[in-house]
Amino acid sequence: MKIAVLAGDGIGPEITAQAVRVVQALGRHGLQVEVESALVGGAACDALGDPLPPQTLAVCESAQAVLFGAVGGPRYDTLPRAMRPEQGLLRLRKHFDLFANLRPAIVYPELAHASTLRSDVVAGLDLLILRELTGDIYFGQPRGIRRNEQGEREGFDTMRYTESEIGRIARWGFEAARKRQKRLCSVDKANVLETTQLWRDVVTEVRQDYRDVELSHMYVDNAAMQLVRNPKQFDVIVTGNMFGDILSDEASMLTGSIGMLPSASLNAKRFGLYEPIHGSAPDIAGTGAANPLATILSLAMLLRYSLEQPQAAERVEKAVRTVLRKGLRTADIAREGEQRVSCSEMGDAVVAAL
Ligand code: IPM
Ligand code: MG
């Protein structure tokens, strides 16, 4: 088994280093996984002038899965768009057709207090956001900034979904719900946007094959409100690329910290890219304050979905629960007065718990 590790920018190298230590620890217990690193994002731009150089793509292609850190930073924000670190990630998603993005939001009992919401609102939350990842306004053409007839600059993007793109993510949504509480909520803006009217129609059609799953539809503005009003009403949410981007950041804060949320991006062959949903956090890069748990939990998803090693995945998740129970806290999940551990100390603890 082989995985590609793309650390990227900001806190990316610190957090992926801890996940690699977990891979090595599993190796000492009989699970051999080869790790090959490659450059991506701003780091790749600096070294090779391309956020996704061909040699990085080759490393990913030679692996069964990719463990991804984070990309981006203020230093790169003025580069032409094609050279920006984010393009490294977006091109990887498109290249491997990683259309199904799983973003689970689970509230660990030890961290219910860390949420800015009342703990009775979030305690016990177990929600899965399924975000379509290769279509929508993120990739729709045409797009650009042009001069209109009045000589004024005008920016434009295109929201676009085909029925096959909607159908395949809807199916994943129903399948996921079937393995859980059998409730799927499809989020759209069908009261205003044609693209999402088609979304709603197709999801409703696909439901014919999943009569055992309860389907509801919700407008995205209401969904944003319901997520903070009563998040436990949701089991699985399926939505498009842009709404999923926004709602998953919102959902992360129900769990106390964006530093806790892993994700998996899969294609039809179950090749996957696994990454924490937080970004490169340039403000804390190099300080040791980053929380490596979202990356370590992403590794657990990688073990489960792409390497088909469910027992190893469970061991990693159990080790994370153990360190939380023991009271280890990085700055993002520490309460006032609680002692804080660094990124590598959290890694030490997870390895020890394994
Ligand atoms: C995410 C991120 C990315 C996105 C950025 C870095 C391009 O916010 O994975 O949620 O918008 O998809
Ligand atoms: Mg995002």
Side-chain angles (χ1 to χ4, degrees), residues 210-231:
Y210 297 90
R211 295 219 155 248
D212 53 322
V213 176
E214 180 192 312
L215 171 67
S216 58
H217 301 278
M218 198 179 275
Y219 297 139
V220 63
D221 48 350
N222 185 22
M225 179 184 74
Q226 296 298 336
L227 268 176
V228 288
R229 194 185 75 87
N230 175 20

Side-chain angles (χ1 to χ4, degrees), residues 110-173:
E110 295 83 2
L111 296 184
H113 67 81
S115 174
T116 48
L117 295 185
R118 282 202 326 264
S119 60
D120 62 295
V121 175
V122 297
L125 178 77
D126 180 356
L127 157 75
L128 175 66
I129 296 189
L130 183 61
R131 168 187 176 195
E132 200 291 330
L133 205 59
T134 52
D136 204 353
I137 196 165
Y138 267 57
F139 292 97
Q141 295 289 343
R143 55 183 284 161
I145 300 172
R146 64 187 166 204
R147 289 245 169 233
N148 68 12
E149 275 151 27
Q150 287 73 44
E152 200 189 358
R153 278 179 308 158
E154 174 184 68
F156 58 102
D157 294 273
T158 306
M159 180 179 254
R160 199 182 270 275
Y161 265 126
T162 63
E163 64 180 313
S164 59
E165 286 174 313
I166 302 166
R168 65 181 183 172
I169 194 73
R171 249 168 239 112
W172 275 60

Side-chain angles (χ1 to χ4, degrees), residues 93 103 131 138 244-246 248-249 277:
R93 290 173 178 171
R103 298 191 161 191
R131 168 187 176 195
Y138 267 57
D245 179 44
I246 299 165
S248 59
D249 264 35
I277 85 149

